[in-house]
Amino acid sequence: MKNIKLLGLPMLLLVFITSCSSVSVLSDYDQKADFNGYKTYAFYKTGIDKAQISDLDKKRILRAIETEMSSRGFVKSEKPDLLVSIFTKEQERVDVYNNNYGWGGAWGWGYNPWAWGPGFGWGGTSVSASTQGSLYIDLIDNNTNELVWQGKGVGTLSNTKNIAKKEERIREFVSQILEQYPPNAVAMK
């Protein structure tokens, strides 16, 4: 019994740490697009203005995108090959954890190994709330006005008052999403 208690705490801690820090990333793209031809970009103001987040967070996201695009050799331009747009969604997530260790049970007839014995034990229920956020980054061919690549990152957003941590989390989201671009390089990995 003591071993179960000792194993339970580190496992719970591991799940908590990984759920807070990970970003789940998906991407999709137009297989007919020539990604080698794209060298310049600009932000698609109309799309960005529709994103339902604070203007300060938009600035943070756009700065992170600029950094990532620059690191990939892209140059910001007045006559871009690609237009970059963003879209966001957020959803409140509530997790309920039952910490019922010990003996449990019910009295009665029949066989159920999990419900046999006296009804005593210890434990309880804990509840945590977090915000699950999604960030979409769209790359649009400026000549055809067609979406050629879309990356999506989903993860827990911390409602922190620490601005440095918030910016770091946004950079992490953007970086992990844009790791999927260009699609041909990802397919070769």
Side-chain angles (χ1 to χ4, degrees):
M1 180 59 116
K2 194 172 196 176
N3 289 340
I4 292 174
K5 290 179 202 174
L6 293 175
L7 287 174
L9 185 60
M11 291 301 288
L12 184 61
L13 185 61
L14 179 64
V15 168
F16 177 74
I17 289 170
T18 57
S19 69
C20 290
S21 64
S22 67
V23 177
S24 176
V25 177
L26 297 169
S27 66
D28 196 6
Y29 65 97
D30 180 352
Q31 291 182 339
K32 295 180 182 178
D34 177 19
F35 291 97
N36 294 324
Y38 300 128
K39 306 290 183 206
T40 60
Y41 76 98
F43 289 112
Y44 183 58
K45 185 173 174 12
T46 305
I48 292 168
D49 286 345
K50 292 179 184 177
Q52 296 182 353
I53 55 174
S54 76
D55 287 344
L56 291 172
D57 283 342
K58 282 181 194 178
K59 285 180 186 180
R60 292 179 180 108
I61 292 169
L62 298 180
R63 279 194 300 258
I65 291 172
E66 282 180 346
T67 300
E68 290 296 321
M69 294 296 278
S70 176
S71 74
R72 288 168 171 68
F74 283 89
V75 177
K76 207 168 178 186
S77 172
E78 294 291 322
K79 297 190 185 238
D81 301 321
L82 289 172
L83 296 173
V84 179
S85 186
I86 63 169
F87 176 76
T88 60
K89 274 200 244 182
E90 66 178 40
Q91 176 180 345
E92 287 299 316
R93 179 178 166 173
V94 177
D95 293 315
V96 179
Y97 302 100
N98 289 318
N99 301 321
N100 295 322
Y101 299 108
W103 300 94
W107 295 97
W109 294 99
Y111 176 73
N112 183 345
W114 301 108
W116 192 264
F120 64 89
W122 62 273
T125 303
S126 63
V127 178
S128 70
S130 62
T131 302
Q132 185 80 22
S134 299
L135 171 62
Y136 294 80
I137 299 176
D138 293 342
L139 301 181
I140 302 160
D141 185 304
N142 193 30
N143 292 327
T144 63
N145 263 350
E146 292 183 1
L147 181 66
V148 292
W149 184 88
Q150 182 177 66
K152 173 186 176 185
V154 179
T156 303
L157 303 174
S158 59
N159 295 326
T160 182
K161 294 178 183 176
N162 184 329
I163 300 303
K165 285 185 180 182
K166 187 179 206 178
E167 287 192 21
E168 180 181 328
R169 185 68 174 151
I170 288 172
R171 284 192 304 270
E172 179 185 0
F173 256 79
V174 170
S175 175
Q176 289 188 23
I177 293 168
L178 288 175
E179 278 180 10
Q180 300 287 314
Y181 184 87
N184 298 334
V186 172
M188 287 191 248
K189 288 184 182 178

